[in-house]
Structure formats: structure tokens, C-alpha cells
């Protein structure tokens, strides 16, 4: 699903960045992908997806294999 139309960013792009780069703040996300830096309409949605992805990453770190079993 597209989150940021101005910069062609999808929810998968955000999740991948959290997993591979350890991005965990909107500032970092905006710097790397440009979300919420133009019209700003994507900010709330991007923030929610970022929060979900970071939470999932932390659950996985706390209990490896949990996400694979789900
Ligand atoms: Fe993301 Fe416009 S939709 S900055």
C-alpha cells in the first residue's frame, strides 16, 4: 500500500527500513525516504506503520522465532 504518494513510499518500504537499517523515529524515516517532507498528508499513516514495525522488531528481538511461528 502506498503511504506517501509524493515520494512513492509504501508500507513495505518502511517495514524494510526498520528491519534492515534499524530506523525507529519519524525523523530518520523522513530523512531516508522523504515521507512527510512535502505535502505532509502521509505523516500520521507513516507514523502508525513505523510504530507497528518497531514494535514487531522489538518483540522479535525479545523472543526470536515468535514472528516466524505466528
Ligand atoms: Fe507524503 Fe505528500 S504524501 S509528503
Amino acid at each position: 500500500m502506498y503511504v506517501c504518494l509524493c515520494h512513492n513510499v509504501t508500507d513495505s518500504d518502511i517495514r524494510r527500513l526498520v528491519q534492515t537499517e534499524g530506523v525507529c523515529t519519524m525523523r530518520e524515516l523522513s530523512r531516508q525516504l522523504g515521507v512527510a517532507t512535502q505535502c505532509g498528508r502521509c505523516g500520521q499513516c507513516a507514523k502508525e506503520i513505523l510504530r507497528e514495525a518497531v514494535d514487531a522488531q522489538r518483540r522479535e528481538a525479545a523472543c526470536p522465532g515468535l514472528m516466524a511461528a505466528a
Side-chain angles (χ1 to χ4, degrees):
M1 153 182 96
Y2 276 94
V3 174
C4 177
L5 294 177
C6 293
H7 297 284
N8 296 321
V9 176
T10 66
D11 60 327
S12 298
D13 295 330
I14 295 172
R15 293 178 206 284
R16 186 170 32 255
L17 207 58
V18 170
Q19 289 177 343
T20 61
E21 304 292 326
V23 168
C24 61
T25 66
M26 273 303 288
R27 180 176 294 201
E28 289 175 88
L29 191 64
S30 294
R31 189 167 45 79
Q32 296 215 25
L33 296 178
V35 295
T37 60
Q38 198 162 329
C39 74
R41 277 183 262 170
C42 59
Q44 188 60 40
C45 183
K47 195 178 294 185
E48 289 172 17
I49 292 168
L50 176 64
R51 187 179 314 127
E52 285 175 15
V54 170
D55 285 350
Q57 194 74 2
R58 288 182 178 149
R59 281 195 303 275
E60 174 65 15
C63 187
L66 177 66
M67 300 307 282

